[in-house]
């Protein structure tokens, strides 16, 4: 047999198009304009897409079941066809082996697709497992025509169904269990047990159990739904944890004392069918639809309700074209938002949200009467079959237009939920919701929705203005502002300014009314939160002048100060505090933010009113402040201020000088002036510790001298003179204060004895002439060794007797005698030394050296007597030219040049005299010079100069060799040449 799922062919049948409310015009939802244009590049596919399976059965299809991608169908009289939809090319055909005329009544396939029950019209039941080829009879089930099966979704598996419920045509509900494994030797039946647990009735008579469904809720609570032709029964009960394997009999036992909960409808069409919608496989159903005589009862399943599982129940009544005598509904299938109703010749889709028929598909007569419609929970596909054909429906994007229905029903939250990925639809929903809220005077909610739409900003704003709803307008503007991008600066500026004005108007209205103080505080809090918003900080900063103007125009000082703090415009905050005489608060702001420029600007004002706190703040700032920039304020208020201001000024200047060790001349000069004017007791101490040398002083000496002189501080002036090294002026001024002070000044010029003597003479004259104290004058002689009695005698008056200074005169004469004796001894020593020198000179004239004929030059090691040579006292002998070669590298540049000039002059004189004879060397003296010849006096002078340069000492034993000990053997400048010569 060829595969029935290899290929699909689209069934292009005649369809009666039912108007689908797929799009709504903008006018219908009260929107003037929208920012979205709905453009589609291709036609959208329908929700329900029917496809016919390429399958031509050899026999008529009697029954059909599909679940978990497992498809089973009954063909003809005795054939079963099984197909795994994952392997559609491997169908499995099984013969049931029945020879009688018994027909298949119904097929039941469990949720796993593993267990197939075949109900026969002879009140028998067969069982077939997916993993076997053998159809087995269920002996315990014999005698009951099976109409429905309630599968166990919790315990069902491939080899065992777990406890299941079975409904019969006589209204009996049995509990059974089937196992696919082989039984024991004495029990080979697959049915483990089969016992009745309940029975259903209608009008006092047993009624067939058309459908059974078992669902588990919370806390081991189970719900059992059973339907007959006119009734829908509910059984609710708990099963003890761990006892689920024992079955459902306990649930029916719990309901024996009570009448079962059921819903009944009057019309009986001979059967009914219930279907459920499950969003995920193996999860509990969320909705149901029950097809019965009066129509379709549909709604939601609520597992939390204690008594009933059904909620939000509605009844869809059959349309007029459905006539029970001609075209009774056959089957029903429930999807997320529709239920599909199968009629003999067509399929209708009804939306569960509004009860409208949104789709109708008519089947041609050539396929025969439609027999059954089944939905596979695993894949969500809907299957329909006739005796000769099989169809299936793909349901695609079923929720695409649901948003419109929810919107028209006023369920805007649900509408937005189903159009999150479609901004143009979301805009329409928000606009309709905003309009709805506006009409119902829920203005704030309306504003929030309008802010999310693309409608014209001006129209919405005018709408709230005309309704005099400032709060709603404010909410709308806030939401719009938050939705703007950072690049939309113009719009942001407009909205920020407008919102500021609205807040200020509102605060102005509330401020005068004490009864709404909490509202005022709340509004102010919102406004301040708006002003401090980090998102709009840039806009507020760029337009802060406008915001300040608005705040000022409303007289809102407090919020202006707050805004200044937010903008870090502390200058304005401090100015505000100063204008309101709140100098402490101004200083607090200064101290908190430590802005040096603000300190320089506001310190003059603050120093006038709170000097101590200001100075404390300055000290706390330390080196971050430049004291020089604070001097103008200090000088201004120290001149016209109180004692406290002056005291604090001195304290800060002392802190700068002694703690911060500031060296600025202006600071030291100012502190000096403060000491001179207000704290003279510290002036002299300051001058003394500042240093005694001009290089150590940081104040202006001339300024200090003038300042001390103006205020008559002579001792301080003396100290300044001493530092300036004006010792005469210092002594003159010190003599007006104290002689001892003058004496200390007179000893300062230690290197200039003449000046010291002059200063001491001034002191002596002052003592003699002014104080007329001879004894003190005599003390001057002992204090200074430069003064003699004869130096001060002229200062004494003529009438002074010698008795007063006889001792001094005697002492002076003795000192002169001692000095004369010392001079005599020095003269005798000098005469003796001259005599010894003359003797040494005479001895040197007679000294000579002996040179043997075999002696060699110490430099070149050639015989010495071949050329002119030098003989040194140390015994070293050198040729003339060899000595020059040895000495030259050790000479300074100047001497080298001098030697070169002398050699040129010597060569010139030799040519001029035309003398070819070289005189023999002289062997007398410390060195042997070149012999005298007929070259003349000039030639001998040149040779003598050359001797002085090269032969003043032995090159090997003299200072030249000692000085060269740290020099390299090879001159660094000639190193490369020397190195290359070795390569």
């Amino acid at each position: 047999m060829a595969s029935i799922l290899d290929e699909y062919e689209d069934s292009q049948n005649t369809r009666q198009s039912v108007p689908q409310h797929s799009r709504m015009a903008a006018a219908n939802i009260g929107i003037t304009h929208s920012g979205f244009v709905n453009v589609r590049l291709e036609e959208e596919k329908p929700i329900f897409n029917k496809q016919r399976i390429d399958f031509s059965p050899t026999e008529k299809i009697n029954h059909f079941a599909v679940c978990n991608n497992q498809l089973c169908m009954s063909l003809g009289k005795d054939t079963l066809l099984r197909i795994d939809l994952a392997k559609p090319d491997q169908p499995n055909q099984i013969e049931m082996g029945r020879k009688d005329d018994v027909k298949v009544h119904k097929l039941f396939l469990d949720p796993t697709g593993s267990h197939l029950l075949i109900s026969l019209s002879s009140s028998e039941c067969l069982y077939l497992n997916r993993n076997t080829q053998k159809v087995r009879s269920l002996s315990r089930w014999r005698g009951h025509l099976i109409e429905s099966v309630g599968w166990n979704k919790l315990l069902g598996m491939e080899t065992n169904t777990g406890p299941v419920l079975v409904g019969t045509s006589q209204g009996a509900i049995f509990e059974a269990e089937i196992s696919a494994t082989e039984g024991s030797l004495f029990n080979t039946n697959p049915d483990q047990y089969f016992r009745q647990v309940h029975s259903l009735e209608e009008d006092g008579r047993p009624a067939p159990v058309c459908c059974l469904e078992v669902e588990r809720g919370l806390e081991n609570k189970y719900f059992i739904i059973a339907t007959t032709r006119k009734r829908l029964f509910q059984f609710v009960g708990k099963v003890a944890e761990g006892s689920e394997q024992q079955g459902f009999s306990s649930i029916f036992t719990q309901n024996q004392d009570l009448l079962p909960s059921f819903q009944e409808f009057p019309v009986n069409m001979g059967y009914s069918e219930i279907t459920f919608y499950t969003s995920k496989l193996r999860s509990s159903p969320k909705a149901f639809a029950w097809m019965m005589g009066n129509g379709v009862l549909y709604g939601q399943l609520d597992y939390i309700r204690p008594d009933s599982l059904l909620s939000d129940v509605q009844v869809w009544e059959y349309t007029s074209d459905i006539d029970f005598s001609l075209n009774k509904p056959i089957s029903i299938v429930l999807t997320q938002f529709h239920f599909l109703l199968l009629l003999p010749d067509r399929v209708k889709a009804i939306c569960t949200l509004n009860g409208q028929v949104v789709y109708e598909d008519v089947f041609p007569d050539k396929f025969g009467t439609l027999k059954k419609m089944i939905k596979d929970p695993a894949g969500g596909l809907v299957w329909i079959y006739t005796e000769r054909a099989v169809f299936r429906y793909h349901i695609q994007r079923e929720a695409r237009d649901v948003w419109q229905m929810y919107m028209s029903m006023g369920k805007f939250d649900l509408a937005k939920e189903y159009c999150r990925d479609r901004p143009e639809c979301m805009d329409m929903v928000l606009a309709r919701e905003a309009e709805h809220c506006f009409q119902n005077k829920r203005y704030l909610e309306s504003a929030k929705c309008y802010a999310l739409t693309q409608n014209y900003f001006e129209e919405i704003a005018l709408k709230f203005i005309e309704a005099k709803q400032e709060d709603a307008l404010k909410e709308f503007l806030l939401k719009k502002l938050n939705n703007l991008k950072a690049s939309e600066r113009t719009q942001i500026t407009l909205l920020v300014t407008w919102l500021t004005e609205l807040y200020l108007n509102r605060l102005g209205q509330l401020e005068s009314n004490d009864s709404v103080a909490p509202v005022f505080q709340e509004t102010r809090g919102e406004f301040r939160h708006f002003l401090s918003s980090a998102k709009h900080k840039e806009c507020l900063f760029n337009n802060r002048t406008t915001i300040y103007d608005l705040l000022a125009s409303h007289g809102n000082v407090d919020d202006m100060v707050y805004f200044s703090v937010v903008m870090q415009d502390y200058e304005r905050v401090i100015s505000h505090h100063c204008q309101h005489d709140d100098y402490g608060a101004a200083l607090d702001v200064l101290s908190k933010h430590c802005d040096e420029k603000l300190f320089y600007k506001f310190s003059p004002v603050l120093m006038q009113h709170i000097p101590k706190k200001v100075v404390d703040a300055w000290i706390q700032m330390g080196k971050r402040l430049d004291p020089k920039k604070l001097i103008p304020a200090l000088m201004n208020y120290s001149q016209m201020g109180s004692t406290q201001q002056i005291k604090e000024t001195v304290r800060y200047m002392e802190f700068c000088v002694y703690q911060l060790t500031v060296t600025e001349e202006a600071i030291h000069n100012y502190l000096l002036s403060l000491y001179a004017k207000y704290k003279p007791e510290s002036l002299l101490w300051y001058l003394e510790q500042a240093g005694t040398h001009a290089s150590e002083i940081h104040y202006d000496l001339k300024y200090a001298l003038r300042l001390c002189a103006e205020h008559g501080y002579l001792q301080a002036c003396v100290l300044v003179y001493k530092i300036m090294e004006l010792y005469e002026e210092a002594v003159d001024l010190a003599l007006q204060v104290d002689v001892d002070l003058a004496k200390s000044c007179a000893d300062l010029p230690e290197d200039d004895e003449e000046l010291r003597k002059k200063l001491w003479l001034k002191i002596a004259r002052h003592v003699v002439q002014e104080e007329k104290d001879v004894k003190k004058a005599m003390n001057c002689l002992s204090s200074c060794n430069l003064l003699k009695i004869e130096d001060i005698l002229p200062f004494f008056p003529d009438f002074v007797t010698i008795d007063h200074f006889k001792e001094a005169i005697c002492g002076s004469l003795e000192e002169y005698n001692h000095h004369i004796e010392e001079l005599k001894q020095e003269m005798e020593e000098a005469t003796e030394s001259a005599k010894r020198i003359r003797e040494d000179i005479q001895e040197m004239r007679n000294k000579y050296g002996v040179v043997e004929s075999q002696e060699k030059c110490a430099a070149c090691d050639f015989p010495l007597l071949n050329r002119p040579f030098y003989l040194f006292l140390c015994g070293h002998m050198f040729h003339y030219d060899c000595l020059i070669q040895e000495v030259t590298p050790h000479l300074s540049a100047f001497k080298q040049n001098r030697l070169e000039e002398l050699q040129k002059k010597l060569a010139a004189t030799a040519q001029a005299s035309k003398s070819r004879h070289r005189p023999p060397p002289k062997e007398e003296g410390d060195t042997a010079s070149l012999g005298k010849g007929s070259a003349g006096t000039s030639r001998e002078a040149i040779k003598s100069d050359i001797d002085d340069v090269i032969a003043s000492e032995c090159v090997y034993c003299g200072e030249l060799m000692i000085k060269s000990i740290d020099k390299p053997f090879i001159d660094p400048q000639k190193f490369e040449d020397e190195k290359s010569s070795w390569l």
Side-chain angles (χ1 to χ4, degrees):
M1 177 185 293
S3 170
I4 65 171
L5 295 177
D6 282 341
E7 298 178 358
Y8 301 104
E9 69 175 5
D10 294 335
S11 174
Q12 303 296 335
N13 300 322
T14 326
R15 298 185 182 181
Q16 297 180 2
S17 298
V18 179
Q20 300 185 33
H21 303 281
S22 58
R23 299 288 178 268
M24 305 185 81
N28 294 337
I29 52 177
I31 308 174
T32 53
H33 298 281
S34 174
F36 293 96
V37 178
N38 190 8
V39 178
R40 292 186 179 171
L41 300 179
E42 60 183 19
E43 185 178 355
E44 196 169 40
K45 293 182 179 180
I47 295 175
F48 304 101
N49 183 23
K50 182 179 73 174
Q51 292 178 327
R52 182 192 173 192
I53 306 302
D54 183 18
F55 171 61
S56 299
T58 55
E59 299 181 79
K60 292 181 180 180
I61 302 175
N62 298 322
H63 291 280
F64 189 97
V66 61
C67 201
N68 198 24
N69 283 331
Q70 300 297 317
L71 187 148
C72 300
M73 63 178 72
S74 169
L75 301 177
K77 176 182 176 184
D78 196 46
T79 303
L80 285 176
L81 182 64
R82 294 189 302 185
I83 300 173
D84 185 350
L85 296 180
K87 303 173 184 178
D89 55 344
Q90 300 177 12
N92 177 234
Q93 186 169 323
I94 299 173
E95 300 296 332
M96 290 188 292
R98 308 284 297 190
K99 302 301 182 182
D100 50 15
D101 295 332
V102 176
K103 297 179 180 181
V104 175
H105 178 61
K106 282 186 179 181
L107 295 179
F108 305 98
L109 190 61
D110 81 309
T112 66
S114 302
H115 308 282
L116 177 66
L117 295 177
I118 307 161
S119 176
L120 303 178
S121 58
S122 60
S123 298
E124 293 180 83
C125 190
L126 306 178
Y127 170 72
L128 177 64
N129 188 268
R130 183 172 65 182
N131 299 322
T132 64
Q133 298 290 321
K134 181 180 179 181
V135 178
R136 304 170 68 183
S137 175
L138 302 177
S139 58
R140 291 188 177 90
W141 297 39
R142 190 174 292 119
H144 302 285
L145 184 61
I146 307 303
E147 293 286 346
S148 58
V149 177
W151 297 103
N152 193 324
K153 300 175 185 177
L154 181 65
L155 300 178
M157 48 188 178
E158 288 189 7
T159 58
N160 193 290
T161 62
V164 297
L165 295 178
V166 179
T168 68
S169 60
Q170 298 300 316
I173 298 177
F174 290 86
E175 184 181 73
E177 183 175 357
I178 301 173
S179 176
T181 58
E182 293 292 337
S184 63
L185 180 63
F186 302 101
N187 183 16
T188 59
N189 294 328
D191 49 336
Q192 302 298 305
Y193 63 88
F194 189 76
R195 56 174 175 265
Q196 184 173 350
V197 292
H198 199 73
S199 60
L200 302 179
E201 295 182 351
E202 281 182 2
D203 302 328
R205 293 190 300 273
V209 182
C210 299
C211 297
L212 276 172
E213 182 75 16
V214 180
E215 295 297 337
R216 181 184 178 183
L218 302 176
E219 299 177 353
N220 289 330
K221 183 183 288 188
Y222 279 81
F223 299 87
I224 298 174
I225 296 178
T227 65
T228 60
R229 292 165 299 189
K230 297 192 302 180
R231 290 183 179 181
L232 187 150
F233 294 86
Q234 295 183 69
F235 300 90
V236 181
K238 285 188 176 183
V239 174
E241 187 173 357
S243 60
E244 292 87 352
Q245 193 66 42
Q246 297 179 7
F248 307 108
S249 57
S250 61
I251 299 175
F252 293 99
T253 304
Q254 295 171 24
N255 290 270
Q256 281 184 352
D257 299 335
L258 302 173
L259 291 174
S261 173
F262 67 88
Q263 290 180 281
E264 184 174 9
F265 291 87
V267 179
N268 183 356
M269 66 175 182
Y271 56 88
S272 70
E273 184 175 340
I274 192 168
T275 182
F276 298 89
Y277 168 71
T278 304
S279 59
K280 297 179 182 178
L281 189 64
R282 291 190 175 274
S283 63
S284 299
K286 293 184 176 181
F288 77 99
W290 179 37
M291 181 188 71
M292 38 77 183
N294 288 78
V296 176
L297 178 74
Y298 62 95
Q300 304 298 315
L301 298 178
D302 187 354
Y303 295 92
I304 300 177
R305 296 177 63 181
D307 52 347
S308 176
L309 189 62
L310 313 181
S311 66
D312 300 332
V313 175
Q314 302 179 61
V315 176
W316 180 80
E317 296 182 357
Y318 296 124
T319 56
S320 57
D321 61 333
I322 298 178
D323 185 357
F324 282 6
S325 61
L326 298 175
N327 57 349
K328 282 195 302 185
I330 302 170
S331 290
I332 188 171
V333 163
L334 182 63
T335 64
Q336 186 177 5
F337 296 106
H338 302 84
F339 60 83
L340 277 67
L341 204 62
L342 182 68
L343 300 171
D345 61 344
R346 69 192 63 197
V347 173
K348 284 189 176 186
I350 296 91
C351 178
T352 56
L353 299 178
N354 56 14
Q356 299 294 319
V357 178
V358 297
Y359 175 80
E360 187 168 355
D361 187 10
V362 179
F363 286 73
D365 295 336
K366 67 177 182 177
F367 297 119
T369 303
L370 302 179
K371 302 197 68 172
K372 189 74 173 177
M373 177 170 59
I374 305 166
K375 179 184 176 184
D376 184 359
L381 299 176
V382 177
W383 298 79
I384 298 176
Y385 71 95
T386 67
E387 290 182 348
R388 295 294 179 185
V390 177
F391 303 88
R392 73 174 174 186
Y393 282 91
H394 288 267
I395 302 175
Q396 298 176 335
R397 296 183 59 232
E398 184 181 3
R400 69 182 69 167
D401 296 326
V402 169
W403 63 273
Q404 295 179 348
M405 301 175 193
Y406 280 130
M407 181 177 67
S408 61
M409 296 163 62
K411 297 180 178 180
F412 300 109
D413 290 340
L414 289 172
K416 288 183 282 189
E417 185 69 28
Y418 286 98
C419 61
R420 287 187 179 278
D421 56 342
R422 300 172 66 183
E424 74 282 0
C425 302
M426 179 68 78
D427 189 71
M428 296 171 69
V429 173
L430 289 169
R432 169 66 75 86
E433 183 180 8
E435 184 66 26
H436 175 78
C437 293
F438 190 90
Q439 292 175 356
N440 288 276
K441 301 187 183 302
R442 291 155 50 195
Y443 297 109
L444 285 177
E445 296 178 30
S446 176
K448 293 177 182 178
C449 294
Y450 269 132
L452 299 175
T453 67
Q454 299 296 319
N455 291 17
Y456 286 143
F457 172 83
E458 298 84 350
E459 291 184 5
I460 300 170
L462 287 172
K463 198 169 188 177
F464 287 116
I465 292 173
E466 290 173 358
K468 297 181 179 180
Q469 295 297 322
E470 283 194 7
D471 289 342
L473 176 61
K474 181 178 66 179
E475 186 68 25
F476 170 69
L477 297 179
L478 282 171
K479 292 292 183 182
K480 271 292 183 186
L481 180 62
N482 290 331
N483 293 334
L484 290 176
K485 299 177 182 178
S487 58
E488 299 174 304
R489 297 183 178 179
T490 304
Q491 294 89 329
I492 292 175
T493 302
L494 171 66
L495 293 181
V496 166
T497 309
W498 194 353
L499 281 166
T500 303
E501 180 66 24
L502 288 175
Y503 272 117
L504 290 173
N505 285 336
R506 183 61 175 162
L507 288 172
Q509 295 170 4
L510 297 173
E511 189 174 13
S512 58
N513 191 348
D514 295 336
S515 61
V516 290
V519 180
F520 173 77
Q521 294 298 332
E522 182 181 355
T523 306
R524 167 167 282 180
E526 292 178 7
F527 180 45
R528 291 188 173 183
H529 181 268
F530 169 73
L531 292 177
S532 60
S533 171
K535 185 176 182 180
H536 314 303
K537 185 175 183 179
E538 181 181 358
C539 175
L540 289 166
F541 181 80
N542 293 335
N543 299 277
R544 61 188 182 280
T545 304
T546 304
I547 304 298
Y548 282 134
D549 292 341
L550 287 173
L551 290 165
S553 65
H554 285 267
N556 195 330
V557 178
D558 293 340
D559 289 322
M560 183 164 63
V561 172
Y562 177 82
F563 181 65
S564 301
V565 173
V566 171
M567 292 292 104
Q568 297 183 353
D569 189 359
Y570 303 117
E571 182 177 349
R572 188 181 294 269
V573 178
I574 297 168
S575 297
H576 167 76
H577 289 314
C578 290
Q579 290 170 5
H580 290 78
D581 298 335
D582 193 355
Y583 302 106
L587 183 59
D588 289 341
V589 176
L590 266 178
S591 302
K592 182 178 181 182
H593 299 288
C594 303
D595 190 330
E596 295 85 354
K597 294 181 180 179
L598 295 181
F599 265 103
Y600 301 144
K601 181 172 183 177
F602 291 100
S603 287
V605 179
L606 298 176
M607 189 66 186
Q608 186 179 10
H609 297 89
I610 49 173
K612 186 178 185 307
K613 291 183 178 179
V614 172
V615 171
D616 289 341
W618 289 349
I619 292 174
Q620 188 175 4
M621 287 288 290
K623 292 188 177 181
R624 285 177 288 180
L625 290 179
D626 185 359
K628 190 167 60 176
K629 295 182 179 180
L630 296 172
I631 288 179
L634 294 171
M635 294 183 67
N636 183 19
Y637 292 110
S638 64
Q639 292 174 5
M640 55 183 292
S642 64
T643 306
Q644 185 184 8
Q645 293 171 355
I646 296 169
K647 178 182 176 183
E648 296 303 326
T649 302
V650 172
R651 181 163 72 96
Y652 181 65
M653 288 293 101
E654 289 177 341
F655 170 76
C656 293
V657 171
Y658 303 131
Q659 301 286 335
L660 301 182
T661 62
V662 174
T663 58
E664 291 282 347
E665 186 177 274
I667 301 298
H668 286 265
N669 288 345
Y670 184 48
L671 178 60
L672 200 62
S673 68
L674 290 174
Y675 280 153
K677 293 178 183 179
Y678 307 110
K679 201 174 180 182
E681 66 275 8
S682 299
L683 176 62
L684 191 59
W685 178 84
Y686 167 76
L687 292 174
E688 290 174 348
Q689 63 85 35
T692 58
H693 196 273
S695 61
E696 302 172 353
I697 304 303
H698 300 301
Y699 55 83
D700 188 343
L701 288 169
K702 294 180 180 179
Y703 173 74
L705 184 61
R706 184 173 67 252
L707 196 65
C708 295
E710 287 177 358
H711 292 84
Y713 302 134
L714 299 182
Q715 192 172 354
C717 290
V718 172
L719 185 57
V720 175
Y721 276 133
K722 286 163 59 178
I723 297 171
M724 297 173 71
E725 297 183 354
L726 300 174
Y727 302 115
E728 292 189 40
E729 291 82 353
V731 169
D732 292 339
L733 195 58
L735 289 174
Q736 299 178 27
V737 180
D738 184 21
V739 174
D740 292 335
L741 180 60
K743 290 180 179 180
S744 65
C745 295
D747 282 333
L748 290 177
E750 298 177 354
D751 299 332
D752 192 347
E753 292 185 352
E754 184 179 351
L755 179 58
R756 283 177 61 200
K757 184 176 181 180
K758 184 178 179 181
L759 296 177
W760 277 103
L761 285 173
K762 282 189 175 188
I763 297 172
R765 177 183 292 176
H766 174 79
V767 171
V768 173
Q769 294 180 353
E770 299 297 331
E771 298 186 5
K772 302 183 187 318
D773 190 340
V774 178
K775 187 176 181 180
K776 188 178 290 187
M778 293 300 103
N779 291 336
C780 290
L781 293 177
S782 61
S783 299
C784 179
N785 55 3
L786 300 177
L787 290 182
K788 306 298 180 184
I789 186 64
E790 59 268 26
D791 295 328
I792 65 172
L793 280 177
F795 302 149
F796 289 97
D798 296 337
F799 57 84
V800 176
T801 61
I802 199 171
D803 295 337
H804 293 291
F805 41 84
K806 182 173 67 174
E807 293 180 2
I809 292 174
C810 293
S812 178
L813 291 174
E814 290 177 359
E815 184 176 347
Y816 278 129
N817 289 333
H818 181 67
H819 185 57
I820 290 170
E821 292 297 329
E822 288 180 351
L823 289 175
K824 284 181 178 181
Q825 186 176 354
E826 289 178 1
M827 290 174 65
E828 291 176 356
E829 291 176 355
T831 303
E832 184 66 25
S833 177
K835 181 180 179 182
R836 287 197 298 269
I837 292 172
R838 283 194 296 269
E839 292 175 353
D840 291 341
I841 292 172
Q842 187 64 33
E843 185 181 355
M844 289 295 294
R845 286 177 180 175
N846 299 323
K847 197 165 186 179
Y848 65 92
V850 178
V851 179
E852 301 289 340
S853 60
Q854 67 271 18
E855 293 291 342
K856 296 182 179 181
C857 175
C860 66
D861 205 28
F862 279 96
L864 185 68
L865 298 177
N866 292 343
R867 299 198 301 272
F869 64 90
Y870 285 91
L871 172 62
F872 291 94
L873 292 176
C874 60
H876 287 114
M877 293 169 279
F878 299 92
H879 287 131
Y880 169 73
D881 54 345
C882 292
L883 181 61
I884 291 176
Q885 188 175 357
E886 288 289 329
V887 173
T888 301
H890 300 286
L891 296 178
S892 64
F894 172 76
K895 286 188 176 182
Q896 288 181 7
N897 294 332
R898 174 67 176 158
L899 179 61
E900 186 177 354
E901 290 177 3
L902 291 173
Q903 286 176 325
K904 289 179 180 179
K905 286 180 180 181
L906 181 62
T909 56
Q911 187 176 4
S913 64
K914 298 181 180 181
S915 177
R916 297 178 180 272
H917 300 283
R918 188 180 299 276
K922 183 179 180 181
E923 299 179 5
E924 297 178 356
D926 181 41
T927 61
S929 64
L930 294 176
K932 297 180 180 180
S934 60
T937 307
S938 60
R939 180 178 175 82
E940 293 300 326
I942 293 171
K943 287 182 177 182
S944 178
D945 291 340
I946 292 175
D947 290 344
D948 292 339
V949 174
I950 66 172
S952 61
E953 59 179 349
C954 176
V955 68
Y956 286 172
C957 303
E959 291 185 3
L960 289 177
M961 185 58 64
I962 296 172
K963 291 180 179 178
S964 66
I965 196 169
D966 60 343
K967 292 183 180 180
F969 291 108
I970 301 175
D971 187 352
Q973 297 179 354
K974 300 179 181 179
F975 178 78
E976 292 297 330
D977 296 338
E978 185 70 21
K979 179 180 176 182
S980 61
S981 68
W982 283 78
L983 297 176

